Amino acid sequence: MEQPLLLLVLDLTGTFAFALNGALTAVRAVRVDIVGVIALGMVTAMGGGIIRDVMLVQPPATFQDWRYLAVAAVGALIAFAFGHNMSRLSTPIEVLDAVGLSFFAVTGAMKAVDFGLGPVQAIILGTITAVGGGTIRDALLGRVPSVLRDGLYAVPAFIGAGIAVLSSLFGLYGAVAAVIAAAVCFFIRVLGLRFGWNAPVPRAWKRRDPPATRR
Amino acid sequence: MEQPLLLLVLDLTGTFAFALNGALTAVRAVRVDIVGVIALGMVTAMGGGIIRDVMLVQPPATFQDWRYLAVAAVGALIAFAFGHNMSRLSTPIEVLDAVGLSFFAVTGAMKAVDFGLGPVQAIILGTITAVGGGTIRDALLGRVPSVLRDGLYAVPAFIGAGIAVLSSLFGLYGAVAAVIAAAVCFFIRVLGLRFGWNAPVPRAWKRRDPPATRR
Amino acid sequence: MEQPLLLLVLDLTGTFAFALNGALTAVRAVRVDIVGVIALGMVTAMGGGIIRDVMLVQPPATFQDWRYLAVAAVGALIAFAFGHNMSRLSTPIEVLDAVGLSFFAVTGAMKAVDFGLGPVQAIILGTITAVGGGTIRDALLGRVPSVLRDGLYAVPAFIGAGIAVLSSLFGLYGAVAAVIAAAVCFFIRVLGLRFGWNAPVPRAWKRRDPPATRR
């Protein structure tokens, strides 16, 4: 089944951004070699979609298509070669990453709808598609996945997936609804980055958080 | 296929207890936000069953049924809201968790038998159903899963799954055998908690363990 | 489908070596009990093949065959019983582990070819078959998988899988090609161990690596 060209381009852009961002995170966090950089970049880019397809008992779609593998590998190799010198590019890379997040959340949720899952399950699978790769990467780096700790990463993905699934429940899903869903996810993510928004934390941690209590 | 009501109630009770206990563990161990608490609670409750179903090349059963998702989410949300104040409830929560362990071990093993796996494989899959969710949670928290380190957690699950599978080999599996298998698992687990039982450790660590050698 | 006896013996030898080596790594790295030693040994031995089969949407082959389970469990139990006293055997165990690596890379890649995957995907899946088990083990031990950090482990597996897949593209795959592919993987791995070869690291880490800058 051939995708429309625009969808393919967006999907490959998201894959590239995830691989680049994932590999950069790995390069900066721990000492890994070229095998680690490429593996962690590709896991970040493709891990979420693989979890989704495993849950749907389908062959992993991106893994079967050499274009995704190639784009993910190139993104990771760029991080390997130029990672020491890319700190000025943090903002454009994070914006690209937000594009990938938005796109994966919407397409992941709609794939789950196509396979007959209920709306709640489809929203969860869309969110997992968007955040699963980074979660596996962080687990392999031996640290608590950042999506579970701070920032707004799963929340915008959940909202974007939710808008797409709700629109399909009312028979309104189409190019317009997909763009709106992805745009809402994108803007929440980018605003969250800009203003340092966080999701609520349990009360036990709130008490411990203020610097004054840490002396 | 509709389950009998009693089975469903027990299964949902175990799911609730696992989600609550898993989310409480997360809240106490590291700083996670509401996304992390819910995700880790749901992973603890449903991860073992998902691994089992992936190994059986089946769609994950609990994920398809919204009641499991809802019960797991509620358990995790309770931990989020009241986790700072639940230390007095440790014992009842651990007892509920032991109910979940016993129930998941027996039903997990019998599902594997139903799908034609051999007895050894079915016992292993039953054990994985019971302990797999907590193992993934601990891996995501960046610590060695407690099931691999101390206490008796996998051992009672293995014994309970073993009794259920053996009874089915002799054509004796039914409500009575299931209750006996789950009860044996439950009592070993609870006695192990009460008396601080541990599984044997390798000799290399025994030598290092006594506090005297740590000075 | 019955395998030829030689193939089966080689496959079980690799499984045994992986379980022994994986369990020894666990015993030496952290305090785990007998459950942890057996679980980590079996995960090391069978994890790579399970990931491969999940990606191919097939029932995990080694898990279905009790001989693999038994051999892996025995390897792990030997590590549990004698691990404190096996440091003299490091070299033979690492050579056996290299046998397993070579064998799993080639058979893993060819299984992917048999299921109709493209050559790049088959080479990646062969590599994952060879290194996936140790990667899961290290993630469960809460440390960055050594395959992502140093030494040559994924690289020889990738080359061995590549030779096997290329030979099949030209219709030349057979016993001779399989032996050559596995032998090349084996010798690169053993030479890498002997001479301390590493894969390249990102430039950011090269600068930080020399001991002089660490003072």
Side-chain angles (χ1 to χ4, degrees):
Chain A
M1 158 189 79
E2 202 51 45
Q3 299 181 53
L5 187 64
L6 177 67
L7 255 170
L8 180 67
V9 168
L10 276 173
D11 213 9
L12 290 174
T13 305
T15 302
F16 175 80
F18 268 35
L20 179 60
N21 205 3
L24 278 176
T25 305
V27 166
R28 286 165 185 168
V30 296
R31 190 197 181 278
V32 285
D33 61 19
I34 189 168
V35 171
V37 175
I38 294 179
L40 292 165
M42 294 182 79
V43 158
T44 308
M46 307 183 13
I50 290 173
I51 298 178
R52 177 201 59 207
D53 291 340
V54 167
M55 300 280 283
L56 296 172
V57 198
Q58 293 296 313
T62 52
F63 186 74
Q64 309 255 336
D65 186 333
W66 67 269
R67 294 171 296 193
Y68 290 86
L69 293 170
V71 160
V74 167
L77 280 171
I78 290 175
F80 178 80
F82 305 111
H84 59 289
N85 213 2
M86 290 177 80
S87 43
R88 265 176 310 166
L89 296 177
S90 291
T91 304
I93 291 171
E94 277 183 333
V95 170
L96 266 187
D97 189 81
V99 171
L101 185 81
S102 313
F103 198 76
F104 286 4
V106 173
T107 57
M110 294 318 294
K111 179 163 184 179
V113 168
D114 285 346
F115 276 88
L117 262 67
V120 175
Q121 288 87 335
I123 296 173
I124 295 176
L125 270 196
T127 310
I128 291 175
T129 308
V131 309
T135 306
I136 303 178
R137 176 203 60 211
D138 286 344
L140 289 174
L141 293 175
R143 58 184 205 171
V144 183
S146 62
V147 65
L148 305 177
R149 273 185 295 139
D150 49 28
L152 285 191
Y153 202 67
V155 169
F158 190 87
I159 294 173
I163 294 174
V165 170
L166 283 182
S167 78
S168 81
L169 279 185
F170 294 103
L172 300 171
Y173 187 74
V176 176
V179 167
I180 292 173
V184 170
C185 171
F186 177 81
F187 283 112
I188 299 176
R189 170 66 185 153
V190 169
L191 290 173
L193 278 172
R194 175 72 187 77
F195 296 106
W197 290 343
N198 287 302
V201 298
R203 204 188 294 183
W205 287 98
K206 259 186 239 152
R207 264 183 273 141
R208 272 174 263 169
D209 271 349
T213 67
R214 278 206 188 133
R215 264 178 302 157
Chain B
M1 160 188 78
E2 202 50 48
Q3 300 180 53
L5 187 64
L6 177 67
L7 254 169
L8 180 67
V9 169
L10 276 173
D11 213 10
L12 290 173
T13 306
T15 302
F16 176 80
F18 268 35
L20 179 61
N21 204 4
L24 278 176
T25 305
V27 167
R28 286 165 186 170
V30 296
R31 190 196 180 279
V32 286
D33 61 19
I34 190 169
V35 171
V37 175
I38 294 178
L40 291 164
M42 294 182 80
V43 158
T44 308
M46 307 183 13
I50 290 174
I51 298 178
R52 177 202 58 205
D53 291 340
V54 166
M55 299 281 282
L56 296 173
V57 197
Q58 294 296 314
T62 52
F63 186 74
Q64 309 254 336
D65 186 334
W66 68 268
R67 294 171 297 192
Y68 289 86
L69 293 170
V71 160
V74 168
L77 281 171
I78 291 175
F80 178 80
F82 305 111
H84 59 290
N85 213 2
M86 289 177 81
S87 44
R88 266 174 311 165
L89 296 177
S90 292
T91 305
I93 291 170
E94 277 182 334
V95 170
L96 267 187
D97 189 81
V99 170
L101 184 81
S102 312
F103 198 75
F104 286 2
V106 172
T107 56
M110 295 318 294
K111 179 163 185 181
V113 167
D114 285 347
F115 276 88
L117 261 67
V120 176
Q121 287 87 337
I123 296 172
I124 295 176
L125 271 195
T127 310
I128 290 175
T129 308
V131 309
T135 306
I136 303 178
R137 176 203 61 211
D138 285 345
L140 290 173
L141 293 175
R143 58 184 205 171
V144 182
S146 62
V147 64
L148 305 178
R149 273 185 294 139
D150 48 28
L152 285 191
Y153 203 67
V155 169
F158 190 88
I159 293 173
I163 293 173
V165 170
L166 283 181
S167 78
S168 82
L169 279 185
F170 294 104
L172 300 171
Y173 187 75
V176 176
V179 168
I180 293 174
V184 171
C185 171
F186 178 81
F187 282 112
I188 299 177
R189 170 65 184 153
V190 169
L191 289 174
L193 278 171
R194 175 73 187 75
F195 296 106
W197 290 342
N198 287 302
V201 298
R203 206 189 291 182
W205 287 97
K206 260 186 238 155
R207 265 183 273 140
R208 271 174 265 170
D209 272 348
T213 67
R214 277 206 189 134
R215 262 180 301 157
Chain C
M1 159 190 78
E2 201 51 47
Q3 300 180 53
L5 187 64
L6 178 67
L7 255 170
L8 179 68
V9 169
L10 276 172
D11 214 9
L12 290 173
T13 305
T15 302
F16 176 80
F18 268 35
L20 179 60
N21 205 5
L24 278 176
T25 305
V27 167
R28 287 167 186 168
V30 296
R31 190 195 181 280
V32 286
D33 62 19
I34 190 169
V35 171
V37 175
I38 295 179
L40 291 165
M42 294 182 79
V43 158
T44 309
M46 307 183 12
I50 289 174
I51 298 178
R52 177 201 58 206
D53 291 340
V54 166
M55 299 282 282
L56 296 173
V57 197
Q58 293 296 314
T62 52
F63 186 74
Q64 309 254 335
D65 186 333
W66 67 268
R67 294 171 297 192
Y68 290 86
L69 293 170
V71 159
V74 168
L77 280 171
I78 291 176
F80 178 79
F82 305 111
H84 59 289
N85 212 2
M86 289 177 82
S87 43
R88 267 176 309 165
L89 296 177
S90 292
T91 305
I93 291 170
E94 277 183 334
V95 170
L96 267 186
D97 188 81
V99 170
L101 184 81
S102 313
F103 199 76
F104 286 3
V106 172
T107 57
M110 294 318 296
K111 180 163 184 179
V113 168
D114 285 347
F115 277 87
L117 262 67
V120 175
Q121 288 88 335
I123 296 173
I124 294 176
L125 271 196
T127 310
I128 290 175
T129 308
V131 310
T135 306
I136 303 177
R137 177 204 59 211
D138 285 345
L140 290 174
L141 292 175
R143 59 184 203 170
V144 183
S146 62
V147 65
L148 305 178
R149 274 185 295 138
D150 49 28
L152 286 191
Y153 203 67
V155 170
F158 191 86
I159 293 173
I163 293 174
V165 170
L166 283 182
S167 77
S168 83
L169 280 185
F170 294 104
L172 299 171
Y173 187 75
V176 176
V179 168
I180 292 174
V184 170
C185 171
F186 178 80
F187 282 112
I188 298 175
R189 169 66 184 152
V190 169
L191 289 174
L193 278 172
R194 175 73 187 76
F195 296 107
W197 290 343
N198 287 302
V201 298
R203 205 188 292 186
W205 288 98
K206 260 185 239 157
R207 265 184 272 141
R208 272 175 264 169
D209 271 348
T213 67
R214 278 205 187 135
R215 263 179 301 157

